[in-house]
Amino acid sequence: MITPEIRGGHEVTHPVAVEGAEVGDAIAIRIRSIVVTSAATSSGSDTVMAGRHNGDPFCAAVCPGCGIEWPHTRVEGIGPTSIRCTNCGADATPFIFENAYTMAFDEERQIGLTIGRAAAEGMACNASKVMAVPDNSIQHPILLFAPSDLVGVATRLRPFLGQLGTSPSKLIPDSHNAGDFGHFLVDAPHAFSISKDEIATHITDGHLDDNTVREGAIVICPVKVPAGGIYMGDIHAMQGDGEIAGHTADVAGTVTLEVSVLKGLTIDGPILFTVPEDLPHLARPL
């Protein structure tokens, strides 16, 4: 979210073709494992920076200095002003934190603990390595901001995939490939504008942001382009029942999936089969 040249808000994997998947079919995706590789992350409540986007800070960033859309940026130091336009040098991050924390994880990635300022700044100086940012990534790791407003709070990790699904049939930012967030594209002032009627037709709702899309769950996804184009990203270390702040503890990780083509199962959006323990007590299998 702090890397304005990323046009979807997140980084996601390249789409993967599934042999035999045709438009009108569905693909069942079984999540075999999710392993968090980051040693720490930062999150909190944020605010959008005025003058740094064209109607939508997630997918239409603009440099406030030179006006370039989706500007390439470099890192200068640490903190909320460290993201600089390479063209003019202006502070160009679309978001900053209002109140936030840095959280370190134990070696087994079972427990997280929010840390103080000195430790947060130490991690910020080595942010890419601490977050285990993938080799081909262009993101600026959020640890660079080094927030430490909330110290000494412990929690458990239970990682899940914020994004997991099939490719939409229209050029849509990954963060907006969703039945709710996609509505921000309707008649938008930027290049990704769509009509209201196009939402159900083209999106696949690969951005569920549901904390039950975790190891052991099954997601059945519509096929709206040939071969499906499965992609994933936006791994969260944990999340409650919703994203109150608009985001949560984003991390890097390694994921293993198993897929099956379901011929002729035409659906508009995903069907999620959670692991039994995530179901309400009365809804669990008898």
Side-chain angles (χ1 to χ4, degrees):
M1 291 169 58
I2 64 169
T3 312
E5 67 180 292
I6 297 176
R7 303 188 183 193
H10 305 99
E11 277 190 318
V12 294
T13 61
H14 285 288
V16 174
V18 178
E19 186 176 4
E22 300 174 317
V23 175
D25 295 336
I27 300 174
I29 306 173
R30 294 166 172 82
I31 306 173
R32 293 306 190 195
S33 68
I34 303 175
V35 178
V36 174
T37 53
S38 298
T41 190
S42 296
S43 190
S45 57
D46 61 40
T47 186
V48 175
M49 302 300 288
R52 301 185 186 184
H53 61 91
N54 181 17
D56 193 322
F58 291 95
C59 65
V62 175
C63 174
C66 60
I68 292 177
E69 292 183 300
W70 307 293
H72 178 66
T73 49
R74 63 177 182 267
V75 174
E76 294 184 7
I78 63 174
T81 62
S82 61
I83 311 303
R84 297 282 173 169
C85 175
T86 56
N87 184 57
C88 70
D91 174 11
T93 179
F95 298 88
I96 61 169
F97 283 131
E98 289 184 334
N99 188 277
Y101 58 83
T102 297
M103 177 177 288
F105 307 136
D106 69 329
E107 290 185 0
E108 289 76 30
R109 306 300 190 262
Q110 298 293 314
I111 298 292
L113 178 69
T114 58
I115 57 179
R117 179 177 178 180
E121 291 180 348
M123 288 186 171
C125 292
N126 198 21
S128 292
K129 183 176 180 180
V130 174
M131 285 203 74
V133 173
D135 292 340
N136 294 323
S137 169
I138 63 169
Q139 70 173 271
H140 302 311
I142 192 60
L143 284 178
L144 287 167
F145 281 12
S148 58
D149 298 316
L150 187 66
V151 181
V153 176
T155 185
R156 294 181 175 88
L157 271 67
R158 191 164 76 171
F160 70 98
L161 287 159
Q163 296 208 45
L164 175 65
T166 48
S167 296
S169 53
K170 188 178 177 67
L171 187 62
I172 291 173
D174 58 86
S175 57
H176 293 56
N177 183 24
D180 49 5
F181 213 44
H183 285 268
F184 286 105
L185 298 178
V186 175
D187 299 328
H190 51 74
F192 300 113
S193 176
I194 62 175
S195 69
K196 186 176 181 180
D197 292 339
E198 289 180 302
I199 293 178
T201 301
H202 295 293
I203 69 169
T204 60
D205 212 347
H207 189 197
L208 283 171
D209 258 341
D210 188 315
N211 63 1
T212 64
V213 184
R214 64 187 184 93
E215 189 172 301
I218 302 172
V219 186
I220 298 179
C221 305
V223 176
K224 297 192 177 183
V225 298
I230 291 176
Y231 71 95
M232 58 183 153
D234 192 26
I235 301 177
H236 298 196
M238 81 292 286
Q239 180 179 295
D241 291 330
E243 270 191 319
I244 295 174
H247 57 91
T248 184
D250 292 2
V251 291
T254 301
V255 178
T256 303
L257 306 174
E258 179 185 343
V259 302
S260 304
V261 177
L262 303 177
K263 300 300 294 182
L265 179 60
T266 302
I267 52 178
D268 285 331
I271 302 170
L272 171 60
F273 292 89
T274 67
V275 297
E277 66 183 89
D278 287 345
L279 291 168
H281 177 69
L282 299 183
R284 294 181 184 182
L286 297 174

